[in-house]
Amino acid sequence: MTIHWADLILILAFVGAGCAVSYLMLLHKLRQIVNERHLQIADQLAALDDAIRALETRLAEHHAASELTAEAQSVADSSLLDDTRDQEQSDAVAPDIQAVITAAAVAAIGQNVQIRSIKPATSSWSQQGRVLVQGSHNARARR
């Protein structure tokens, strides 16, 4: 069997046309898939945008409420600080604190404990500790 030039050209034309048609069909399908993905991504972005707006609204409401709470907390902290200063100025230790200290000494050392005096500590270390504790409750300093 011999193939003539005309038959060979016809076969190559059919193969080329088949490849071109396959290429065009695949290209069309690929563009269709890409467009569907773009639409899905656009829908997801719109949903995320709505969610972000809702969260921003909630955050703004929470921020406004926390500012009111912070102002109330700062007023309470200042009154607590004034109460603490008043208590520090009176050098007497409360009787319930004396009882707790005595019980701790008896539990740690034994029954032969003699407590001669109980005074509030006024060292710079205790003042620094109080400043750190009271400062950690300051709502305005956390911003």
Side-chain angles (χ1 to χ4, degrees):
M1 171 188 274
T2 61
I3 297 181
H4 298 287
W5 283 105
D7 292 338
L8 183 61
I9 291 173
L10 187 62
I11 291 171
L12 288 176
F14 280 132
V15 169
C19 288
V21 168
S22 297
Y23 173 77
L24 291 175
M25 288 175 60
L26 288 174
L27 185 64
H28 175 71
K29 187 66 174 174
L30 181 64
R31 285 182 181 164
Q32 188 179 17
I33 290 171
V34 167
N35 286 335
E36 288 175 4
R37 295 289 169 112
H38 282 297
L39 291 175
Q40 287 177 350
I41 290 172
D43 290 342
Q44 289 175 346
L45 285 175
L48 284 174
D49 190 37
D50 292 342
I52 288 172
R53 285 189 181 146
L55 286 174
E56 285 176 344
T57 303
R58 286 179 52 197
L59 182 63
E61 291 170 358
H62 179 70
H63 185 64
S66 67
E67 284 181 358
L68 292 175
T69 305
E71 289 175 10
Q73 181 68 28
S74 66
V75 169
D77 285 344
S78 65
S79 65
L80 180 64
L81 185 60
D82 292 340
D83 292 344
T84 305
R85 286 183 188 149
D86 292 342
Q87 186 178 7
E88 286 177 0
Q89 289 175 355
S90 65
D91 288 336
V93 177
D96 56 344
I97 301 293
Q98 289 178 359
V100 170
I101 292 172
T102 304
V106 168
I109 299 173
Q111 292 293 332
N112 298 332
V113 174
Q114 281 188 345
I115 297 177
R116 295 186 182 154
S117 68
I118 298 175
K119 298 180 202 173
T122 57
S123 71
S124 61
W125 288 104
S126 63
Q127 290 175 349
Q128 182 65 27
R130 286 188 196 100
V131 167
L132 286 173
V133 169
Q134 291 169 356
S136 69
H137 298 296
N138 189 357
R140 291 181 186 244
R142 290 185 193 162
R143 289 186 192 180

